[in-house]
């Protein structure tokens, strides 16, 4: 079943105020789980690129369609030639300096998350270092996210019926590697674009504060587009922000780093502080660099349309 991404993008944009809290929730929970695994968000970005290539290489070479979550943990290694993972290419994809990519790649190998076989010159993913509980949490979050969005697609008579969380979760587990390659490609493109404006820790903090602000606005009125959502959040009364300690606990980012990043975000106008030193989102439309933010939002909404198109096509495809 061919699904046009542009139509999904339009639905997402029209329902931005009601859909984005679910998206921000998925993103913050995903980043928090990455911090648990890698203890370094830049390293986790490099790991995304490496594991995405490893997954794709595996899917392409699976004649028996062994792509399930169960198979992922039964199989010890997914192998990929070293020559396929060039630092220059990863640097360009992630908007990270080459030297940073080199250091993070070495860290992943040192921490035994990526295994380098010097004899065969092959990389493999060490699945034993990735707790199944964390993978299952990511699947649960993805399933919840996809099912909530499917409601809006069916409501707009785009998709035949709403897909339940249980239905999509079962399909994700059965077609694990296929969904994960699409998910990783989306995340790589999303965070690489975000990094044109901010470093990854600052992106995480802005996402978390955006979640906290939008969830307090969600369902108070009819859904509106992105620009109108920003305006309404900017004038909302009686909302509660997040303090530095809460942000640190949720993001798993050290409090000293959080304080430093918050100070920078407040200085450039991306966060506002109340008298209790709680931080929340602002009306982005009033910022001098709003055009850049608007371009970023439009890009990411289009990216979501493509991602959902890929996922819904995968869901409708027989095993």
């Amino acid at each position: 079943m061919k699904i046009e991404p542009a139509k999904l993008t339009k639905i997402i944009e029209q329902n931005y105020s009601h859909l984005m809290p679910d998206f921000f929730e998925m993103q913050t929970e995903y980043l928090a789980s990455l911090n648990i695994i890698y203890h370094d968000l830049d390293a986790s970005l490099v790991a995304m690129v490496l594991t995405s290539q490893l997954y794709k290489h595996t899917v392409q070479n699976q004649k028996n369609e062994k792509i399930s979550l169960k198979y992922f943990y039964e199989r010890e290694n997914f192998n990929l030639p070293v020559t396929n993972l060039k630092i220059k290419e990863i640097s360009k994809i992630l908007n990270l300096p080459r030297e940073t990519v080199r250091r993070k790649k070495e860290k992943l190998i040192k921490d035994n998350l990526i295994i380098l076989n010097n004899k065969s010159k092959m990389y493999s993913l060490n699945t034993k270092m990735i707790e199944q509980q964390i993978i299952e949490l990511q699947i649960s979050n993805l399933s919840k996210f996809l099912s909530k969005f499917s409601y809006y697609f069916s409501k707009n008579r785009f998709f035949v019926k709403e897909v339940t969380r249980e239905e999509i979760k079962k399909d994700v587990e059965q077609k694990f590697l296929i969904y994960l390659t699409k998910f990783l490609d989306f995340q790589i493109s999303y965070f690489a674009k975000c990094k044109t404006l901010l470093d990854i820790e600052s992106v995480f903090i802005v996402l978390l504060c955006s979640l906290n602000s939008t969830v307090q606005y969600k369902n108070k009125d009819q859904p509106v587009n992105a620009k109108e959502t920003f305006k309404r959040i900017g004038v909302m009364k009686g909302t509660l922000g997040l303090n530095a300690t809460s942000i640190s606990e949720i993001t798993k980012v050290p409090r000293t780093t959080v304080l430093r990043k918050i100070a920078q975000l407040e200085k450039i106008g991306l966060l506002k502080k109340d008298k209790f030193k709680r931080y929340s989102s602002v009306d982005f439309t009033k910022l001098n660099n709003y055009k850049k933010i608007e371009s970023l939002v439009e890009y990411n909404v289009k990216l979501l349309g493509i991602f959902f198109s890929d996922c819904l096509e995968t869901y409708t495809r027989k095993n």
Side-chain angles (χ1 to χ4, degrees), residues 264-272 282 284 287:
Q264 294 170 350
L265 291 168
E266 190 182 5
K267 185 177 180 180
I268 60 179
L270 287 175
L271 291 181
K272 62 182 178 182
V282 300
F284 295 136
L287 299 178

Side-chain angles (χ1 to χ4, degrees), residues 9 34 88 92 94 114-116 128 140 148 154 157 161 202 224 226 288 294:
T9 295
L34 290 179
K88 179 175 71 173
K92 187 176 180 180
L94 294 174
I114 299 291
I115 301 170
L116 171 60
K128 294 178 182 178
S140 178
K148 284 184 177 179
S154 61
R157 298 179 182 180
K161 68 180 183 69
S202 296
V224 293
N288 293 330
E294 184 178 40

Side-chain angles (χ1 to χ4, degrees), residues 42 45 91-97 188-200 202-203 268 270 289 291-297 299-300:
D42 276 331
L45 293 179
S91 172
K92 187 176 180 180
I93 291 169
L94 294 174
N95 289 312
L96 273 175
I188 290 163
S189 297
Y190 177 84
F191 288 117
K193 186 66 173 179
C194 289
K195 278 183 64 61
T196 60
L197 288 180
L198 298 168
D199 62 85
I200 189 64
S202 296
V203 169
I268 60 179
L270 287 175
N289 64 342
K291 287 296 180 183
K292 286 186 178 180
I293 295 172
E294 184 178 40
S295 175
L296 176 65
V297 170
Y299 174 87
N300 288 335

Side-chain angles (χ1 to χ4, degrees), residues 115-287:
I115 301 170
L116 171 60
N117 186 321
N118 290 310
K119 186 177 180 180
S120 64
K121 296 299 178 186
M122 299 281 281
Y123 283 112
S124 60
L125 175 66
N126 189 356
T127 54
K128 294 178 182 178
M129 292 288 287
I130 303 175
E131 293 181 22
Q132 190 162 350
Q133 184 179 359
I134 293 175
I135 292 290
E136 288 173 350
L137 175 64
Q138 291 177 352
I139 289 175
S140 178
N141 290 338
L142 175 62
S143 304
K144 177 174 64 177
F145 175 62
L146 291 172
S147 64
K148 284 184 177 179
F149 271 55
S150 77
Y151 164 77
Y152 282 88
F153 298 147
S154 61
K155 187 178 178 182
N156 283 267
R157 298 179 182 180
F158 182 78
F159 201 58
V160 178
K161 68 180 183 69
E162 180 183 353
V163 182
T164 67
R165 184 173 174 178
E166 291 71 28
E167 288 171 332
I168 194 70
K169 185 173 184 290
K170 183 179 179 181
D171 203 62
V172 171
E173 288 174 346
Q174 290 174 343
K175 306 171 186 171
F176 179 69
L177 293 185
I178 293 177
Y179 276 102
L180 258 291
T181 55
K182 297 180 187 303
F183 181 71
L184 287 170
D185 284 349
F186 166 76
Q187 296 292 5
I188 290 163
S189 297
Y190 177 84
F191 288 117
K193 186 66 173 179
C194 289
K195 278 183 64 61
T196 60
L197 288 180
L198 298 168
D199 62 85
I200 189 64
E201 286 87 2
S202 296
V203 169
F204 197 172
I205 292 167
V206 170
L207 280 172
L208 182 60
C209 290
S210 295
L211 166 61
N212 186 59
S213 296
T214 54
V215 79
Q216 293 179 72
Y217 172 77
K218 182 182 178 182
N219 298 331
K220 284 191 175 183
D221 209 338
Q222 291 298 312
V224 293
N225 62 28
K227 192 170 185 178
E228 190 61 31
T229 300
F230 299 150
K231 288 180 179 178
R232 294 188 184 188
I233 285 175
V235 296
M236 281 176 65
K237 303 294 183 182
T239 57
L240 298 176
L242 297 169
N243 61 34
T245 300
S246 296
I247 292 171
S248 176
E249 289 174 353
I250 296 169
T251 61
K252 316 299 181 188
V253 175
R255 190 172 182 275
T256 52
T257 303
V258 167
L259 288 169
R260 182 162 45 84
K261 301 296 182 182
I262 282 175
Q264 294 170 350
L265 291 168
E266 190 182 5
K267 185 177 180 180
I268 60 179
L270 287 175
L271 291 181
K272 62 182 178 182
K273 179 174 64 176
D274 64 19
K275 63 181 180 180
F276 300 107
K277 293 185 178 180
R278 295 177 302 203
Y279 298 87
S280 55
S281 293
V282 300
D283 179 359
F284 295 136
T285 63
K286 292 183 178 180
L287 299 178

Side-chain angles (χ1 to χ4, degrees), residues 1-8 67 146 150 153 158-161 163 168 171-172 175 178-179 182 304-319:
M1 178 180 177
K2 186 65 180 174
I3 299 173
E4 295 180 36
K7 291 183 178 180
L8 297 183
I67 53 176
L146 291 172
S150 77
F153 298 147
F158 182 78
F159 201 58
V160 178
K161 68 180 183 69
V163 182
I168 194 70
D171 203 62
V172 171
K175 306 171 186 171
I178 293 177
Y179 276 102
K182 297 180 187 303
L304 268 174
I306 295 168
F307 173 60
F308 272 104
S309 173
D310 287 343
C311 286
L312 291 175
E313 284 181 14
T314 301
Y315 177 78
T316 56
R317 193 181 306 141
K318 292 182 179 180
N319 287 331

